[in-house]
Amino acid sequence: MQVQRLWIKDFRNIENLDLEFSPHLNIFIGENGSGKTNIMEALCLSLSLKSHRENKNLNFISYGKDRSDIKSRILFSDSTEATSHLCILPNKRSVRFDGQGAMKKNELRLSCPVVFFAPEDLDLIKGGPLIRRNFIDDTISFISPKYRTELKEYYTVLRQKNTLLRTYRDWDKEILRLYNEKLAVNGTNIARYRIKFLQEFDKYFYSLHEVISPSSDISLNYISDVYDSVEKSVSEEIYFTELEKKMPDEINARQSLTGVHKDDIAVILGGRNSRSFASQGQQRSLAICLKLSVIDFYKEKTDRNAIVMLDDVMSELDRNRRSQLLQIIKDNQCFITSTEDNFSSDYHKKYTFSVRSGKAVKL
């Protein structure tokens, strides 16, 4: 699968843009603030219907305009084509499709696997638990609509529970217990999904790490805020019991103190948690492996090659790691932003675009 063409109108600092792409490597060269990331963001929105930066529609629309429009023409592996047209208004987004029948939003996401690597993803190892939870939640959600539903329900009930706790009175205890019962059901299902995902994903991570930085002593561990050991038993009964134990503390704190919304992943290298003990170079390599392992994971699950987007990442890597990264993504259509063109001139029929003030010109 590949994106053949992209049209952008009134999106951030881009007034009007029409680009045709290489099926292999596409590079956007320009100074910081020139609009490179805006092009990548528009492309990502047209395929996945979400941005890696934010979700406020008003911020997508160019100043003084009342809407943004993004269209992408997609060529699938069976040689059929579809055009996605995303219209962004201040209070809503709508998308329609030409080709591929009456494609729905979720079908578009499943048809167009996207792996977006931004500078903040280099913090996957050394950053806090939230960035790692978001990573596994986004990856699982792509292949499992049921998991997306479980997450949505869980966080809806969690917000309701926290609202109750902020104004808690003694007669609210039974309502609080009902919230805990529902959280135990959703939370247990989420934990099971995550544990199963890590068990499957570990082989992709291990294989890629062998290429970039050979080491046999590496693994992914799930750290649960609820369960003492995820290897022994994960059940709604245990989850609910833990929430009941925490109830007095949560009432005093006026907020939820435990649950899968606090879980984490430990990347174990040489028997120790890489977040605390790995060098900065090792952490960068592990972050690259963790993120790019999704490419092969998606390929096996969907039988489609992911579109890879690397936004301002190359400047953070030394020459050797840049070469390794390009080798990993050589079979995928790839989009890269950079402040300078330091890529091989014969690399996979690359297209290079010069970006300045929201305009892009093919060199």
Side-chain angles (χ1 to χ4, degrees), residues 202 206 209-210 213-219 268-270:
D202 193 73
Y206 177 87
H209 191 263
E210 279 288 287
S213 182
S215 171
S216 58
D217 193 8
I218 187 169
S219 62
I268 306 300
L269 181 65

Side-chain angles (χ1 to χ4, degrees), residues 105-118:
K105 290 182 180 181
N106 287 339
E107 291 173 338
L108 174 70
R109 292 190 181 102
L110 287 172
S111 298
C112 303
V114 174
V115 176
F116 199 111
F117 198 166

